[in-house]
Amino acid sequence: MRIMDGHCDALTKLYVNPKLEFGREEQELDVSYPRLKQAGVKVQCFAIYLSDSIQQPTFEHILQMVDLFYRQIGRHPGMHVIQNTEDWRLVEASERIGAILTLEGLDALAGNMMHVRILQQLGVRSIGLTWNYANWAADGVMEPRKGGFTRKGKQMLKELETMGIIVDVSHLSTTAFWELVELYNKPFIASHSNAQKICPHPRNLSDEQIKAVIQCKGVIGITFVPYFVDSANLTVPISALLKHIDHVCSLGGEGQLGFGSDFDGIEQWVKGLRHVGQYENIIEALCKNYRESQVEAFLYGNWRNFMLLSLPK
């Protein structure tokens, strides 16, 4: 079965450790070309995330990661960068794996709209507005004051809507989430978030938030972060992931459900999902609980439908 994964942090690992190579079977990389090929992943999103080790992130740091993306991933003969629907269809008609460049957190853009326009020209197709904490645009979900958007953040949101860059609400504060629902007129995604009803972690979505993503025809990427799956147990089985899928489906989200593993952004793993090459284990579990057509939609079809409507033509 074909797979699209909506979020990984392999770029950050490649940035922090220049000795790593995307094209090799690296033990330190959860997401590498050999492992993507092993799993049957057809499209992988690669996030630009500036880790806490960079104390004063700047636009220059983002450009360095864009350069790294094209050097290590874009130039790989088995990969093809997806910037529009034509690229997507080219990937589907070939043996290559599609790569979509995304940004996690607006911090380093410093409120400069020109920076966003440059990133669009460089191929960034989705932007997560915050990480866990506040930036100049909005509060993240772990920010103690639990605020929403700033005035400039609202301007940025409208700019993203006009430009057609996909907005990602994973990590966004609850207040900002509902402000976005009121202000933003296009479908949006939660690239790597689970159901709060099943696991009461602040990073997970409430039922009302899940319904809002469903209503706007967005996508919720079920994530493999163990403490977003089951915070009560040290060892988290794949069966615990299925509870989140069941719950989203029970709210009417069968057509808006995908996966966003967060591989390479985690230091703990769901049992049997140590790296992207082990997607077969969740496929096996899904096939025992859902029809083949449903499994295909969760793994690829729902993301595909959304992307073909949301990417530039």
Side-chain angles (χ1 to χ4, degrees):
M1 291 186 180
R2 293 179 297 185
I3 299 164
M4 174 173 165
D5 188 297
H7 185 86
C8 81
D9 286 307
L11 269 181
T12 299
K13 276 192 179 176
L14 289 166
Y15 182 83
V16 171
N17 186 354
K19 294 181 179 179
L20 296 178
E21 295 182 22
F22 172 73
R24 290 174 51 195
E25 185 74 35
E26 295 284 358
Q27 292 303 307
E28 291 184 54
L29 278 180
D30 297 342
V31 177
S32 62
Y33 176 75
R35 285 177 168 166
L36 289 171
K37 200 71 176 174
Q38 174 189 345
V41 172
K42 195 61 181 170
V43 179
Q44 175 69 58
C45 290
F46 292 87
I48 298 169
Y49 168 65
L50 302 178
S51 72
D52 289 344
S53 62
I54 303 173
Q55 294 185 353
Q56 294 183 315
T58 66
F59 191 58
E60 174 72 18
H61 290 111
I62 290 180
L63 292 178
Q64 289 171 6
M65 292 193 73
V66 172
D67 176 60
L68 177 64
F69 171 78
Y70 281 101
R71 284 189 292 109
Q72 285 247 21
I73 297 166
R75 291 181 185 172
H76 191 285
M79 304 294 294
H80 183 90
V81 176
I82 294 176
Q83 296 191 11
N84 51 49
T85 56
E86 182 181 354
D87 288 325
W88 188 289
R89 296 188 191 282
L90 284 171
V91 166
E92 286 192 328
S94 74
E95 296 297 317
R96 287 182 290 177
I97 298 168
I100 298 177
L101 184 59
T102 72
L103 174 66
E104 186 172 28
L106 290 168
D107 307 51
L109 302 188
N112 191 327
M113 305 296 174
M114 179 187 69
H115 288 164
V116 181
R117 292 190 289 272
I118 290 171
L119 289 181
Q120 183 195 40
Q121 293 170 29
L122 292 174
V124 171
R125 290 296 175 261
S126 174
I127 291 180
L129 304 170
T130 67
W131 190 59
N132 283 339
Y133 305 107
N135 58 29
W136 59 267
D139 276 14
V141 70
M142 306 300 284
E143 186 65 37
R145 66 185 178 183
K146 304 183 186 304
F149 280 93
T150 64
R151 180 181 60 83
K152 197 146 195 177
K154 291 177 180 179
Q155 292 174 355
M156 176 65 74
L157 189 60
K158 284 299 179 183
E159 186 81 6
L160 295 176
E161 183 177 330
T162 301
M163 296 169 66
I165 292 179
I166 298 163
V167 168
D168 182 358
V169 300
S170 286
H171 289 286
L172 196 61
S173 73
T174 302
T175 301
F177 178 98
W178 291 115
E179 288 181 352
L180 180 141
V181 170
E182 292 297 319
L183 293 167
Y184 190 72
N185 297 309
K186 289 186 176 181
F188 56 88
I189 66 172
S191 66
H192 55 304
S193 296
N194 289 345
Q196 207 170 87
K197 186 82 170 182
I198 303 301
C199 178
H201 192 286
R203 268 281 285 106
N204 287 339
L205 300 174
S206 68
D207 284 2
E208 291 73 23
Q209 289 175 308
I210 291 170
K211 289 175 183 177
V213 180
I214 294 168
Q215 186 172 2
C216 82
K217 305 294 184 184
V219 176
I220 298 165
I222 297 297
T223 189
F224 302 165
V225 182
Y227 40 91
F228 296 171
V229 179
D230 181 356
S231 57
N233 295 294
L234 293 175
T235 301
V236 178
I238 287 175
S239 59
L241 267 174
L242 300 188
K243 295 179 182 178
H244 291 268
I245 296 168
D246 291 344
H247 187 70
V248 173
C249 288
S250 75
L251 297 174
E254 182 177 326
Q256 274 67 53
L257 192 145
F259 289 101
S261 64
D262 207 8
F263 278 134
D264 287 310
I266 51 180
E267 296 178 354
Q268 303 171 42
W269 296 267
V270 171
K271 187 177 180 181
L273 289 174
R274 175 59 182 78
H275 55 74
V276 73
Q278 295 184 339
Y279 249 106
E280 62 183 22
N281 293 331
I282 194 167
I283 293 173
E284 182 181 350
L286 287 168
C287 288
K288 292 177 181 177
N289 292 270
Y290 293 94
R291 298 188 306 274
E292 184 176 337
S293 60
Q294 291 175 301
V295 176
E296 289 175 343
F298 298 159
L299 290 169
Y300 183 77
N302 291 340
W303 270 123
R304 180 186 190 271
N305 293 340
F306 175 85
M307 287 296 178
L308 288 178
L309 289 173
S310 302
L311 289 170
K313 305 304 178 190

